[in-house]
Amino acid sequence: MKTEITQLLKIKYPIIQGGMAWVADYHLASAVSNAGGLGVIGSGGAPAEWVRKQVKKMKELTEKPFGVNVMLMNPQADEIARVLMEEKVPVVTTGAGNPAKYMEEWKKADIKVIPVVASCALAKMMERCGADAVVAEGTEAGGHIGEITTMSLVPQVADAVNIPVIAAGGIADGRGMAAAFMLGAKAVQMGTHFVVTEECNVHDNYKEKIIKAKDIDSKVTGRKSGHPVRVLRNQMSNEYIKKENAGATLEELELLTLGGLRKAVVEGNTKDGSLMAGQIAGLVKESCSCRELIQNTVREAEEIMKGQLKIFEA
Ligand code: TUI
């Protein structure tokens, strides 16, 4: 399955693994890269030296291309940006902000830069700054999100820029991948489905919550504070939304989410933790290896695209 993205990133399949904070460490990312996708280490709110160690481990475990995601609200983002150049990381993705100030240096260091965007305006600005591609992430995604759905965002971004577009948000199988191609994407980024893979080291309780989730089980916290985050519904999200609607202060609300992702990923605390996951969690029914997930997704997408005319036969 050759596309502009497989050629740009020198990977076998046009599947990028979302660089999920706390979730996507070198274990998951190396399994994805070794299976022919692009594994991405999620640096989230971690310190720069943690990122350097992760990258070194990654290099020991794979000779394939890989990436690191920089979460731009991290107070250590500047230091991390430097570590990625020093370690000659092949690909950088960014999230939750505007990476313009790093782009020139990253490009000089020969890094492929792929910002995650939730609007055409940021996509166009990133193209002007020299981005190699963009991930257009719809509001169906888990974690920190924008407002526009994948179905509306991807074709608009594809028309707005000349660099290749990667679709994200609501994609967990070959049907989603085929749909993304129809909308103009040249690859997909998946997060939620990779959380439940065998190589992903999150607590089993977190995986089980995703596997048991139904279509309507995700909720968005923080809409009022301007930092909307999609999580699986639990005691924390219920309380958060109740307090948010009652006009609680930001400080009060922040107390509820403080360290929430760590609680979910490390402790398996499904009551108070932030179980970040996308709306597509309801489709995720079982765990498998990263290789199986990637190959099944690609096979299903290819079969659908070959059989497209059948849609009109009924
Ligand atoms: O970044 C993500 N998803 C994330 S980051 C994250 S870590 C976190 N932990 C606790 C609380 C909050 C975050 C969990 N999930 N996705 C990429 C993404 N970027 N989605 C939306 C955006 C985005 C939104 C607004 C990017 C830029 C932007 O505006 C930039 C600007 O300045 O115009």
Side-chain angles (χ1 to χ4, degrees):
M1 215 185 235
K2 246 195 208 173
T3 74
E4 281 169 68
I5 290 293
T6 60
Q7 286 171 320
L8 173 75
L9 302 180
K10 302 186 173 70
I11 53 179
K12 190 166 177 195
Y13 302 116
I15 296 184
I16 322 286
Q17 163 248 311
M20 299 166 281
W22 283 97
V23 171
D25 62 8
Y26 67 86
H27 292 104
L28 175 63
S30 62
V32 173
S33 285
N34 285 330
L38 187 80
V40 179
I41 295 165
S43 62
E49 285 314 304
W50 180 89
V51 179
R52 192 192 300 280
K53 281 186 200 142
Q54 289 280 317
V55 170
K56 287 189 186 297
K57 288 275 191 190
M58 188 75 185
K59 288 175 186 165
E60 286 170 22
L61 291 175
T62 187
E63 290 181 347
K64 301 271 168 61
F66 66 93
V68 174
N69 177 271
V70 185
M71 206 278 283
L72 294 162
M73 295 191 307
N74 184 343
Q76 289 208 15
D78 288 357
E79 289 86 342
I80 292 173
R82 206 167 337 108
V83 165
L84 301 182
M85 293 188 279
E86 288 164 7
E87 294 296 330
K88 300 196 183 347
V89 165
V91 182
V92 170
T93 67
T94 64
N98 178 345
K101 68 170 177 173
Y102 305 118
M103 302 271 291
E104 204 180 316
E105 279 202 291
W106 281 343
K107 292 311 302 167
K108 265 194 230 153
D110 213 20
I111 293 174
K112 300 273 186 283
V113 184
I114 309 183
V116 178
V117 302
S119 69
C120 287
L122 190 59
K124 280 193 208 171
M125 186 194 199
M126 293 299 98
E127 179 177 43
R128 279 198 304 276
C129 290
D132 296 280
V134 288
V135 174
E137 187 185 273
T139 194
E140 297 93 319
H144 183 89
I145 49 170
E147 285 190 6
I148 309 174
T149 60
T150 303
M151 182 79 121
S152 299
L153 182 67
V154 173
Q156 293 189 70
V157 172
D159 282 352
V161 297
N162 292 308
I163 49 178
V165 175
I166 299 160
I171 301 168
D173 68 5
R175 291 172 296 179
M177 185 183 212
F181 287 143
M182 298 299 120
L183 297 175
K186 304 292 187 216
V188 295
Q189 176 180 281
M190 300 201 292
T192 303
H193 209 149
F194 278 114
V195 179
V196 307
T197 55
E198 288 156 7
E199 296 91 340
C200 180
N201 276 336
V202 306
H203 198 286
D204 279 343
N205 293 354
Y206 193 165
K207 293 187 180 181
E208 200 178 308
K209 282 293 257 189
I210 290 178
I211 285 169
K212 287 198 173 146
K214 297 190 296 293
D215 52 355
I216 56 168
D217 281 344
S218 84
K219 285 279 174 264
V220 179
T221 61
R223 279 212 198 275
K224 284 195 178 151
S225 68
H227 293 297
V229 173
R230 185 179 299 285
V231 294
L232 292 180
R233 173 158 65 126
N234 65 358
Q235 193 175 300
M236 184 282 292
S237 72
N238 289 345
E239 237 174 274
Y240 190 105
I241 291 165
K242 213 192 293 167
K243 283 195 172 167
E244 199 173 24
N245 289 337
T249 61
L250 279 186
E251 288 77 16
E252 227 181 308
L253 292 172
E254 267 170 16
L255 276 181
L256 281 177
T257 52
L258 193 68
L261 195 50
R262 200 195 75 85
K263 278 186 211 161
V265 171
V266 182
E267 296 169 17
N269 184 338
T270 55
K271 283 195 176 127
D272 306 318
S274 284
L275 297 160
M276 294 186 190
Q279 288 184 334
I280 204 69
L283 195 78
V284 175
K285 293 284 174 248
E286 58 189 13
S287 177
C288 63
S289 69
C290 289
R291 190 173 296 277
E292 284 169 315
L293 174 55
I294 289 171
Q295 291 190 349
N296 288 343
T297 302
V298 168
R299 188 185 325 112
E300 192 184 11
E302 275 174 346
E303 275 168 16
I304 290 169
M305 290 185 291
K306 271 187 217 144
Q308 260 185 67
L309 287 176
K310 289 213 179 89
I311 296 166
F312 303 106
E313 281 168 14

